[in-house]
Amino acid sequence: MSDTLKQLDEVLQQRKQQDPSSSYVASLYHKGLDTILKKIGEEATETVIAAKSDDKQQIIYETADLWFHTMVLLAQQDLSSADVLKELERRFGLSGLDEKANRIK
């Protein structure tokens, strides 16, 4: 599964160099951070709506869009899915309450 994320990370980095008129992702980079954040907000809302409708296929579809646009943000910020996976690995086995308490300190 992480091979897919790694491949997508590579493609998203490559899109930074492409003409915005030839690539959706390049156009997002060209429009800037606010446009990328707006897309993430839209996709998050659509994911919530899909969940409320109890349509499992739509939940998957909208979550894929949300993950994709979040990965665009990561790439725009010179981060990758590996950075997020490393953080999730760090948290694995920790109580969510303990992890949250550690962030507050």
Side-chain angles (χ1 to χ4, degrees):
M1 180 168 43
S2 64
D3 286 343
T4 301
L5 295 176
K6 184 177 178 181
Q7 291 171 358
L8 185 53
D9 284 332
E10 291 170 4
V11 169
L12 293 174
Q13 284 297 328
Q14 292 168 1
R15 294 296 190 264
K16 287 181 174 183
Q17 309 308 317
Q18 291 190 337
D19 181 350
S21 67
S22 67
S23 163
Y24 171 70
V25 172
S27 74
L28 289 175
Y29 292 142
H30 180 74
K31 292 174 185 173
L33 182 60
D34 286 346
T35 297
I36 295 168
L37 296 174
K38 182 179 175 187
K39 279 303 295 180
I40 292 171
E42 289 172 9
E43 299 304 342
T45 300
E46 290 171 2
T47 301
V48 169
I49 292 167
K52 293 292 283 180
S53 71
D54 200 30
D55 181 340
K56 299 210 183 306
Q57 192 57 44
Q58 195 65 24
I59 294 168
I60 292 167
Y61 180 87
E62 296 300 346
T63 300
D65 282 351
L66 177 58
W67 285 15
F68 176 81
H69 287 91
T70 301
M71 289 183 70
V72 170
L73 170 66
L74 290 171
Q76 192 264 350
Q77 297 289 313
D78 293 321
L79 298 167
S80 72
S81 62
D83 296 312
V84 177
L85 291 173
K86 186 190 307 184
E87 175 61 16
L88 289 172
E89 288 170 7
R90 184 191 70 77
R91 293 181 188 186
F92 194 80
L94 281 177
S95 157
L97 295 174
D98 289 342
E99 195 281 327
K100 186 175 180 179
N102 288 336
R103 280 189 275 158
I104 295 172
K105 293 179 183 177

